[in-house]
């Protein structure tokens, strides 16, 4: 295996690590807070709405959008680290 292939493989593995972590966070927020922990979160109110309802309807979307920006930032750093930046 050439150095270029090893470089690309390391880049891809780190990229997959970021994806798994970020998608796990999104899953925990959307499924966990919106479904599993809904009853406990409904004891708290946010803007007049129960927090479990808020996470199910809006919170997971907001978290997903934030995670997109985090992913872009991480990928920009990763590109610079491996020399793939433009």
């Amino acid at each position: 295996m050439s150095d270029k292939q090893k470089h690309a493989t390391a880049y891809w593995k780190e990229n997959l690590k970021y994806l798994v972590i970020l998608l796990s966070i999104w899953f925990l927020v959307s499924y966990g807070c919106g479904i599993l922990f809904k009853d406990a979160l409904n004891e708290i109110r946010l803007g007049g709405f129960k927090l479990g309802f808020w996470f199910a309807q809006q919170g997971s979307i907001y978290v997903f959008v934030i995670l997109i920006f985090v992913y872009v930032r991480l990928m920009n750093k990763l590109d610079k680290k491996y020399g793939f930046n433009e």
Side-chain angles (χ1 to χ4, degrees):
M1 187 181 270
S2 72
D3 283 341
K4 192 173 184 178
Q5 281 182 314
K6 287 180 186 177
H7 205 62
T9 302
Y11 174 85
W12 186 244
K13 283 183 180 181
E14 201 163 340
N15 180 19
L16 288 178
K17 180 182 79 168
Y18 291 151
L19 282 173
V20 168
I21 291 169
L22 294 174
L23 288 176
S24 297
I25 291 169
W26 186 45
F27 175 78
L28 288 173
V29 169
S30 62
Y31 187 74
C33 294
I35 296 172
L36 295 179
F37 308 121
K38 171 184 63 83
D39 295 330
L41 290 172
N42 278 340
E43 301 297 320
I44 303 167
R45 293 199 171 268
L46 179 68
F49 296 100
K50 295 178 180 180
L51 191 58
F53 171 79
W54 184 84
F55 266 109
Q57 300 303 314
Q58 301 294 326
S60 62
I61 296 169
Y62 290 146
V63 170
F64 183 66
V65 171
I66 291 167
L67 290 176
I68 289 171
F69 287 106
V70 170
Y71 180 71
V72 168
R73 183 179 168 108
L74 288 171
M75 288 309 297
N76 285 337
K77 286 183 179 183
L78 190 65
D79 287 347
K80 286 179 185 175
K81 178 180 176 181
Y82 286 97
F84 293 123
N85 57 333
E86 296 176 343

